[in-house]
Amino acid sequence: MIRRTALATRLLASIVAATLAGCVLPPKVEPKGTITPDTALGLGTTNAPDVDARWWHQYGDAQLDRLTDAALEHNPNLEQALARIQLAQAQVQATAGTRLPETVIAGEATRQRYPEHYIYPPPLAGGTFSSGDVSLRFSWDLDLWGRQRALIAATRAYGEATKLDAAAARLAITASLAQAYLDLDRAYAHADIATQSEEQRRRILDITRKRIAAGLDTNVELREAEAAVPQAELVRLQAESARDAAIHRVVALTGGSAADYPGIVRPTLAVETALVLPDTLPADLLGRRPDILAARANLETAKSLRTAARVSFYPNIDLKAFAGFEAVGLDNLVKWSARTVGAGPALSLPIFSAPRLKAQYAGAVANEDLAISAYNGAVVTAIQQTSDQLTFVRSSALQLDKARESLAAAEEAYRLAQKRYQAGLTNYLTVLTTETQVLNARTSFVDVLHAQAMARIGLLLALGGNFQSRA
């Protein structure tokens, strides 16, 4: 027993000595970049009201709800993101399996002629015989330096990044469809304004004809009134064409076809009351944007891969064992005397592969620097986008008040001009001028109203899909 203990001690000492002697140290190279601190992601200091993850329901439009569900179900980008999630999950499982002991059953049968002038004695020498072996083989990577653990951490971080990419894709899809649907609503409003303009000009033409019959106007005013009608018809046709194109865009975002165009009816959006911006925004909103979280997960992946590249310089020890049967002559393979068994450590010393390992480590360091840069870039972009959208939302609110005042004044001026023209107290030019003003005011009001709604969606998108804090 003492002799066996001494032998095991000498074997272990030899392995340790060989391990220490065979170590090739990694280069003293570290990533140069530093990540943007979380304090740079602040917006305010208080919590904001909750917003449902299905935020588009706030518009109160059942058609938009149905179209959004269709877009999420049939969108190729989202399908690709979900497929990447499944792939990442499979990679995590495969990598995690490398930490477990590996056990296989192997068997082999060979028909071979043994050479006469070699190591084989008679009767093997010069003869042709069958040989075979069947064994149970066991191996276990001890992972002394944590390389496998680092690779597992890297694949898990990559899997998390793919999930966040899918979340970002889902958010982009819903936002794009909502914006296209708002464009459709605005196109309907523009078509209404064009139709109203055409009707107004036809009424002015009737009034002009009556004034000519009464001797109050000349053929000059009549020709002007007549020319204004086809101009209004042209604007109406253009507005209707733009409306149809908006329908086509909405259907395309849902994965539909031309057969679905007739099924799209006019939107019934609560444009002014949906996604109202709270007075203050919480400080951690930007920190939960899917793209920022995905960039952070990619950074963790790069860090783990650099760890794995660094520990690849160190020796690796596997435990190996086998038990089975080996024999020349397949009829002898099942005999107890053909049994074989063995066990021991397997040592791998990366001595002559040092140049390759150094290159791999340098690449891992550069990859981590790239990940740091990508994360910092995502943060900078997020801050800019959020600041821009906050400016747009607040500015559009002020613009909407002014547009509403302007529209009310223009409508009243046009109403008075019509009455005065009908009564013979003003000329056609005054009517035409006030009509132009009221049409411009109507169009501006619609545009500003929808610009405000677009800015709210843009802010929602910039904040990762919600105004709600993670807390």
Side-chain angles (χ1 to χ4, degrees), residues 171 285-286 288-290 459-466:
L171 177 58
L285 284 177
L286 289 182
R288 60 92 197 273
R289 270 176 57 134
L459 180 60
L460 193 79
L461 190 62
L463 296 176
N466 214 326

Side-chain angles (χ1 to χ4, degrees), residues 211-334:
R211 284 170 56 87
I212 289 177
L216 299 176
D217 271 340
T218 66
N219 285 333
V220 174
E221 286 78 13
L222 177 62
R223 295 295 176 261
E224 289 177 343
E226 289 176 342
V229 173
Q231 289 177 351
E233 290 177 343
L234 174 62
V235 173
R236 175 181 58 79
L237 291 173
Q238 292 172 338
E240 290 174 349
S241 175
R243 180 195 61 199
D244 292 342
I247 291 175
H248 303 165
R249 180 187 171 199
V250 167
V251 171
L253 289 173
T254 64
S257 64
D260 299 313
Y261 296 162
I264 303 298
V265 299
R266 180 169 188 157
T268 56
L269 295 169
V271 177
E272 291 196 67
T273 58
L275 301 180
V276 176
L277 179 67
D279 293 334
T280 56
L281 295 174
D284 61 355
L285 284 177
L286 289 182
R288 60 92 197 273
R289 270 176 57 134
D291 59 338
I292 289 181
L293 293 176
R296 192 62 180 261
N298 287 330
L299 176 55
E300 295 302 321
T301 299
K303 287 182 177 179
S304 296
L305 291 176
R306 182 169 67 89
T307 299
R310 185 181 66 249
V311 301
S312 294
F313 285 85
Y314 306 144
N316 190 48
I317 298 177
D318 292 349
L319 293 181
K320 294 183 178 294
F322 65 92
F325 298 87
E326 296 179 352
V328 176
L330 296 181
D331 54 340
N332 296 323
L333 191 60
V334 296

Side-chain angles (χ1 to χ4, degrees), residues 106-110 130-135 324-340:
E108 181 180 357
T110 305
S130 296
S131 62
D133 72 87
V134 177
S135 61
F325 298 87
E326 296 179 352
V328 176
L330 296 181
D331 54 340
N332 296 323
L333 191 60
V334 296
K335 295 181 179 179
W336 185 245
S337 58
R339 69 187 184 279
T340 180

Side-chain angles (χ1 to χ4, degrees), residues 93-102 140-141 148-149 151-152:
Q93 294 174 356
T95 307
T98 59
R99 291 206 64 196
L100 301 176
E102 181 179 359
W140 185 18
D141 185 346
Q148 298 300 330
R149 291 191 297 272
L151 291 176
I152 292 171

